[in-house]
Amino acid sequence: MRGFQSLIAMILLTTLFLVFLSSLHLEKTHSHKLEQKDVRKIIQVAVKPNATLSPLSKQARNTKALTISSGLRKAIPQNQAYWNRLLYSALGRVDKKNLEHHQLWSHCRDVDQELLKTNIHDFTSYPSMFQEFLMTMNCKSPPLLVNQPYKCLSSEGGPPFIFFAVKSRPGNFEQRQSVRETWGREGVFQNGLRVRTLFLLGNPSTNEPDLSALMSFEAKTFKDILQWDFKETLLNLTLKMDAFLHWTLKYCPQVSFIFSGDDDVFVNTPALLSYLQSLEPSKSAQLFVGHLISTAAPLRDTKSKYYIPLSFYDGPYPPYIGGGGFLISGSLLQRLHSISHVIPFYPIDDVYIGMCLNALGIAPVAHSGFHTFDVSEQDRENLCVHKGLILIHKRSPTELKKLWKGIHSPILTC
Ligand SMILES: *[C@@H]1O[C@H](CO)[C@@H](O)[C@H](O)[C@H]1NC(C)=O
């Protein structure tokens, strides 16, 4: 009798357990379905202004594990210029493993002007946008105004192969549309490679017309706008790049490659994808490629938009890749972001990325298919020339459409 009772009890227990298991399974599929629906529903909900990104993982902040290549000290001289001094004092702190965290967005503007005047003897003669850069160069991780948190998940079959991260300005609606209709078209390309496009934007200044309603319509319609709450200026492009690195590490760390470029370039997407696919794995894991600028120095002409005062930076630039368009491996982003907490921001974004990768010991690679200074005059409308290249700067929205149609024409024989 005892045996029979315990047998019944065991059967009951097992049944209960099975029922429990299957309910668990149901719940899982149910919530999965819900999640997918929610994703579609909230895909376009812009993050409220002032919402800050949640802190990155510990690993991302772990700058202590970084080693700075000796090449950086060779490439950038130690002298009295302000940025050079900032760099060497930061390197000294890395050596002593005494790193401070970057300042909070809300406090980074409390910079003492007197201190800057003491440190830079001719600070008051700097162009005002340069003074502004100096007063806000510690500001990092700006709040997102328009986010695409599901950009990475919304593609079936895994994370995207490549993000086209296009630096744009709020008013450049036509350029963005032209990119969407040509080289930046999202989709699945040869060999199942998934391409996703994101336009990176700051905020127009208060003197400009209010574009926010148009922007939010655009973001809802195309789901390819990332906008941060910082002023859209030339000298804030380094901040834009860093904000995008931060975003990618948070929302899509598995992406294989990033193409970073301007909204006025022509990109031959099929050629670019073929090139990436042809790479050996060891090469594609450490890729930093484009138009190599190997011997450059700051421009000292005060009228140039890239003017750099001598008392700010003194020395040549480490080799870098022209910012009109370059490719970088997703697997480098983590280290690049970590090192950006050490190397002080530099007002020219492509020079800055070159410096950071130099610090990581990664050499930029030249590719003859990247023409950030355009091709020769007589080739500017030559479709065969365009078909053989990867990137050309610069082209108007209408030229982009024409070239794109042209290189895909079945009757084109090159
Ligand atoms: C960059 O953006 C911040 C935040 O809007 C602003 O305070 C700063 O003046 C900008 N810097 C430059 C150089 O325009």
Side-chain angles (χ1 to χ4, degrees), residues 1 9 13 87-88 109 119 138 201 204 224-225 343:
M1 197 62 186
L13 267 176
L87 174 71
Y88 277 89
R109 250 157 258 114
N119 274 294
N138 293 324
L201 305 169
D224 57 10
I225 302 284
I343 315 287

Side-chain angles (χ1 to χ4, degrees), residues 54-279:
S54 73
L56 283 175
S57 65
K58 269 209 182 110
Q59 201 200 345
R61 292 253 164 128
N62 191 3
T63 36
K64 292 198 175 108
L66 283 175
T67 45
I68 311 275
S69 88
S70 57
L72 187 75
R73 286 185 167 88
K74 285 196 196 106
I76 300 178
Q78 183 167 18
N79 53 38
Q80 283 311 301
Y82 183 64
W83 195 91
N84 302 62
R85 276 187 282 147
L86 284 182
L87 174 71
Y88 277 89
S89 96
L91 295 181
R93 286 198 300 276
V94 176
D95 292 342
K96 293 194 200 98
K97 303 217 183 301
N98 175 23
L99 286 170
E100 47 200 327
H101 274 326
H102 63 256
Q103 281 172 292
L104 286 174
W105 183 253
S106 46
H107 295 302
C108 61
R109 250 157 258 114
D110 308 338
V111 170
D112 187 353
Q113 274 217 40
E114 288 310 310
L115 203 71
L116 283 171
K117 285 182 199 157
T118 320
N119 274 294
I120 305 171
H121 67 92
D122 55 350
F123 178 75
T124 48
S125 73
Y126 278 17
S128 62
M129 67 173 198
F130 218 95
Q131 295 188 9
E132 220 172 301
F133 171 81
L134 273 152
M135 286 187 285
T136 54
M137 67 184 282
N138 293 324
C139 298
K140 298 185 180 177
S141 308
L144 268 163
L145 296 174
V146 179
N147 193 7
Q148 306 297 338
Y150 302 103
K151 196 72 184 174
C152 198
L153 306 175
S154 60
S155 69
E156 289 200 356
F161 179 68
I162 187 165
F163 271 146
F164 285 132
V166 189
K167 292 178 278 182
S168 190
R169 302 171 59 83
N172 292 2
F173 295 103
E174 204 185 346
Q175 279 89 336
R176 287 193 290 279
Q177 193 54 32
S178 189
V179 170
R180 279 184 199 110
E181 293 177 12
T182 59
W183 58 266
R185 188 169 62 82
E186 299 193 319
V188 182
F189 290 76
Q190 61 231 46
N191 302 318
L193 302 180
R194 275 174 305 279
V195 171
R196 289 290 177 272
T197 298
L198 285 158
F199 294 96
L200 317 183
L201 305 169
N203 242 340
S205 79
T206 43
N207 296 329
E208 288 172 76
D210 179 8
L211 301 174
S212 54
L214 287 174
M215 291 290 325
S216 94
F217 177 78
E218 187 185 5
K220 277 197 190 91
T221 308
F222 299 108
K223 303 176 175 64
D224 57 10
I225 302 284
L226 287 180
Q227 189 183 30
W228 289 271
D229 191 11
F230 63 78
K231 205 155 87 184
E232 181 71 66
T233 60
L234 181 73
L235 301 191
N236 260 343
L237 284 179
T238 302
L239 177 63
K240 185 183 273 189
M241 181 66 202
D242 204 60
F244 179 66
L245 275 180
H246 191 93
W247 183 90
T248 310
L249 290 169
K250 181 169 168 156
Y251 292 102
C252 202
Q254 319 91 314
V255 65
S256 307
F257 296 99
I258 303 283
F259 166 85
S260 164
D262 294 333
D263 63 4
D264 58 355
V265 297
F266 167 82
V267 180
N268 185 345
T269 307
L272 182 144
L273 294 175
S274 305
Y275 164 70
L276 288 176
Q277 280 225 296
S278 72
L279 294 170

Side-chain angles (χ1 to χ4, degrees), residues 1-13:
M1 197 62 186
R2 263 245 163 107
F4 183 67
Q5 265 179 352
S6 46
L7 185 70
I8 294 276
M10 254 175 72
I11 289 171
L12 262 175
L13 267 176

